[in-house]
Amino acid sequence: MKARSYLGFLLRRLVQALVVVVLSYTATFLIINVLPGDPITNMLLDPDNGFSQAEIAPIIAYYGLDRPVPEQLWNSFSRFVTGDLGISLRSNLPVAGLVLEALPSTLVLASSALTVALLVAFALAYGSQNLPPRWGQGILRSIPAVSLAVPTFIIGIFLIQLFAFQLGLFRITSPDSAAATFFAALALGLPVSAQIAEVLITNLDHEARQDYFAVARSRGLSRGALFRRHQLKSSSLPVVTMIALAVGELLGGSLITEAIFGRKGIGSLVQSAAAAQDFPVLLAVVALAAVVFVAVNLLADLVYPLLDPRLRRRRGTAGDAA
Amino acid sequence: MAGIALPRLSAPSLPGSVVLSFLVLAVVLAWSLFPGLFTQFDPYVGDTSQKLLPPSLRYWFGTDHLGRDLLARVVHGTWASVTSAALAVAVGLLAGGLIGLLAGFLGGWVDTVMARLVDVLLAIPNFLLAVLIVSAFGFETTNIAIATGVSSVAVFARVMRSEVLKTGSAVFVEASGLLGGSRWHVLLRHVLPNSSRSVLALAVLHFGTSILTIAGLAFLGYGDPPPAADWGLLVASGKDYPSSPWLVFLPAGVIVVTVLAVNRISRWIRHDD
């Protein structure tokens, strides 16, 4: 019975996720192709870009730009599903290849940034509960709010000024070295850590006010054990949600971080595509970002009832009633 | 005489940090409305014999690579930065507020359709969505502002919807309906005013985040080209002169202080503390 209701929940969420992916693709496609009067054709016909008539014809035929919009959308989407992301207008190379080439660098950056973000967030959260109240906690608790007011690019520029130019810990001429990657991850991860820390601290405070917590403390548990065994476990569920939401933040932030640190990844691919009005590349990256975001959030939703017994029970009774 | 405590005239007392925040915003507002009062230097034409000077009594923020006074550039760039953030908030508030209001109040299939729309807006990372919109419509500060606004629609819609659902089920709202108030009367006179506090706090908060997002987009070159003096653009052009760090950190400091003040006021509106 229980397994079946979870299966039903899983199917419903799966269908919902697919609908969102299809709609996101449609919205992106419409922004690019319809609203401002088909920028791809405009860009091809612009004499400054130097496309000859013979070059334009096959591109228009490939995208079906002379066809009605719904047909173009259908063509484009069915290609996307089979892994054909179109052809870059700028380089004439398949977009899928460009994305695959740029992906590893961004994956390394984003996953290191997420690691940094989690480490910093948990350190701040631990300090916020266990340091001397006035000076330690007060300062630690104001860090997330302050760092959320700092533009991402400033953190990057500051790290480069201090650690590359002044201290010589890494060189910006070799952006893929371990040290340079670490500092880039720091620049990308710190704003994310502030968001996670804010949520985590709020939840830890909430748990610390509960009766069971006072009981546990009166049993003589040490601060560390209280934190680990009681506060943290029940506060970590919202963190799963925050991590899922951070995926979008990390993808968007990679534009700025990659630009500042001179890395070649998805962010710099988007950056050059935007500058050259290379719309097939933009469509592919935005659509893939939506797929990743939806998939990660779907995963978080599916894991939730497995982690939290209360959610499991509620869903079980709902399933029984139906 | 000394023992008598005078009653406070201002009923809600303002915390000091909130007063300070309002002062900061007043300065920013004055900069954007009357930039000429705060600097005698020209923000666009410099004296190249005075280039890249560190901050001094004459040039409080130093000078840039063309010998322009940086403070003059920051002050004159305030208007563009502030109005574009306000435009972004207006777009998000109006579109998101309307979506949330309709979804929460009408419910049923309208709610379902709006929920999927919000899901889509959430699924595309904000910054990417903004870049996409700006690429399609042209690199301009106005387009940056609209794009930033569009990417905040989802959050406004969600908060508005939950507020409408919360107030919609309150007893006095039910009473107003039973007294014969029409649906629209109930919506406009009771539900909307009572939902406005959280939405206002969110709008103020988004004014701050919009300043940051717009600065980020201007930093990447999606806004008006130089010699415009948007705060993000000032940082972007300053970063090419690493030996003159004031070109980066002073405009950045102005951004940070402004956003901190805005965030503080937002928290005050939300919690009254």
Side-chain angles (χ1 to χ4, degrees):
Chain A
M1 201 64 183
K2 206 175 247 177
R4 219 170 69 200
S5 77
Y6 184 73
L7 201 68
F9 164 68
L10 193 145
L11 279 178
R12 252 196 338 273
R13 268 309 268 110
L14 207 61
V15 170
Q16 203 185 341
L18 282 177
V19 169
V20 172
V21 166
V22 172
L23 288 178
S24 305
Y25 193 90
T26 310
T28 313
F29 183 89
L30 290 182
I31 290 175
I32 290 178
N33 285 268
V34 183
L35 290 178
D38 180 14
I40 296 184
T41 312
N42 288 346
M43 190 239 154
L44 289 173
L45 294 178
D46 186 345
D48 285 349
N49 292 322
F51 285 98
S52 71
Q53 213 35 255
E55 284 170 322
I56 294 176
I59 300 179
I60 289 194
Y62 176 81
Y63 288 111
L65 293 174
D66 44 356
R67 299 307 182 94
V69 171
E71 199 183 321
Q72 286 181 41
L73 173 61
W74 174 250
N75 278 338
S76 167
F77 187 69
S78 44
R79 283 204 188 112
F80 177 76
V81 171
T82 57
D84 175 0
L85 305 183
I87 307 288
S88 159
L89 295 176
R90 195 168 65 110
S91 60
N92 249 330
L93 294 169
V95 176
L98 294 175
V99 170
L100 281 179
E101 200 184 317
L103 199 56
S105 164
T106 301
L107 277 182
V108 169
L109 177 64
S111 51
S112 340
L114 188 60
T115 315
V116 167
L118 287 173
L119 287 177
V120 173
F122 277 99
L124 283 176
Y126 183 80
S128 78
Q129 303 298 314
N130 297 318
L131 285 183
R134 188 163 173 80
W135 284 105
Q137 292 195 13
I139 292 174
L140 273 190
R141 280 160 185 265
S142 60
I143 289 179
V146 172
S147 58
L148 281 178
V150 180
T152 4
F153 48 89
I154 290 303
I155 302 176
I157 295 176
F158 176 74
L159 291 175
I160 289 181
Q161 287 262 6
L162 183 61
F163 293 103
F165 293 154
Q166 307 285 330
L167 300 175
L169 288 185
F170 69 100
R171 278 179 307 176
I172 49 168
T173 41
S174 50
D176 290 316
S177 68
T181 305
F182 169 75
F183 285 104
L186 205 58
L188 183 58
L190 282 180
V192 178
S193 81
Q195 295 174 5
I196 298 180
E198 277 205 325
V199 172
L200 198 53
I201 291 176
T202 311
N203 282 293
L204 289 172
D205 287 348
H206 176 77
E207 296 303 330
R209 284 194 302 269
Q210 304 300 310
D211 289 341
Y212 81 85
F213 191 76
V215 172
R217 188 156 45 192
S218 66
R219 270 171 43 211
L221 283 182
S222 71
R223 282 175 179 279
L226 273 173
F227 184 75
R228 258 196 333 275
R229 272 198 250 157
H230 293 290
Q231 253 176 314
L232 198 56
K233 206 173 160 195
S234 38
S235 307
S236 52
L237 281 173
V239 174
V240 175
T241 314
M242 289 303 294
I243 293 175
L245 291 176
V247 169
E249 200 92 356
L250 290 171
L251 278 171
S254 71
L255 255 82
I256 287 180
T257 309
E258 286 177 6
I260 294 176
F261 284 83
R263 297 173 65 91
K264 293 263 164 290
I266 298 289
S268 59
L269 182 68
V270 170
Q271 179 75 339
S272 53
Q277 304 231 293
D278 195 345
F279 288 103
V281 172
L282 288 178
L283 173 63
V285 173
V286 172
L288 286 175
V291 170
V292 170
F293 184 88
V294 170
V296 170
N297 280 279
L298 176 67
L299 206 64
D301 270 10
L302 295 182
V303 166
Y304 238 57
L306 301 180
L307 290 178
D308 188 345
R310 283 169 304 181
L311 287 176
R312 215 158 40 216
R313 207 174 313 131
R314 205 174 308 151
R315 186 149 292 119
T317 48
D320 290 343
Chain B
M1 206 170 340
I4 300 168
L6 287 169
R8 288 207 193 199
L9 290 178
S10 55
S13 71
L14 284 177
S17 56
V18 175
V19 176
L20 192 66
S21 302
F22 274 113
L23 281 179
V24 167
L25 285 201
V27 170
V28 169
L29 195 67
W31 278 6
S32 61
L33 292 177
F34 315 105
L37 292 182
F38 295 89
T39 169
Q40 82 268 32
F41 293 102
D42 187 302
Y44 302 115
V45 184
D47 176 358
T48 39
S49 66
Q50 307 281 310
K51 68 175 181 181
L52 296 176
L53 293 178
S56 61
L57 278 180
R58 182 168 159 75
Y59 304 108
W60 289 7
F61 277 25
T63 60
D64 70 0
H65 62 291
L66 296 174
R68 296 175 293 197
D69 177 51
L70 187 62
L71 180 62
R73 307 235 338 122
V74 170
V75 169
H76 282 268
T78 311
W79 172 254
S81 305
V82 168
T83 46
S84 49
L87 177 60
V89 172
V91 170
L93 182 64
L94 288 180
L98 192 67
I99 291 177
L101 197 65
L102 292 179
F105 194 66
L106 298 177
W109 66 268
V110 179
D111 194 15
T112 315
V113 171
M114 297 293 179
R116 289 296 88 75
L117 187 68
V118 167
D119 280 347
V120 168
L121 285 169
L122 285 175
I124 303 175
N126 284 351
F127 209 74
L128 273 185
L129 180 61
V131 169
L132 178 77
I133 294 175
V134 176
S135 316
F137 289 85
F139 293 0
E140 262 175 56
T141 301
T142 316
N143 289 343
I144 285 191
I146 294 171
T148 308
V150 170
S151 60
S152 70
V153 164
V155 184
F156 278 104
R158 283 206 158 172
V159 171
M160 191 65 176
R161 177 178 177 278
S162 72
E163 284 299 310
V164 168
L165 286 181
K166 208 164 70 191
T167 26
S169 59
V171 177
F172 72 93
V173 171
E174 209 178 314
S176 169
L178 290 174
L179 285 170
S182 75
R183 277 167 75 82
W184 294 107
H185 171 83
V186 173
L187 179 69
L188 295 178
R189 287 298 299 280
H190 298 293
V191 176
L192 197 56
N194 283 293
S195 316
S196 56
R197 184 175 183 154
S198 327
V199 178
L200 180 67
L202 184 70
V204 174
L205 186 71
H206 261 271
F207 183 70
T209 27
S210 296
I211 290 180
L212 292 180
T213 312
I214 290 168
L217 289 162
F219 176 83
L220 289 177
Y222 294 119
D224 290 345
D230 296 41
W231 291 347
L233 193 62
L234 289 179
V235 175
S237 36
K239 82 167 193 320
D240 298 334
Y241 302 91
S243 51
S244 312
W246 60 88
L247 289 179
V248 166
F249 294 109
L250 290 178
V254 172
I255 299 178
V256 173
V257 170
T258 310
V259 176
L260 274 178
V262 170
N263 289 355
R264 182 68 191 88
I265 290 173
S266 165
R267 209 166 63 240
W268 172 68
I269 295 176
R270 204 169 53 224
H271 292 307
D272 231 359
D273 67 5

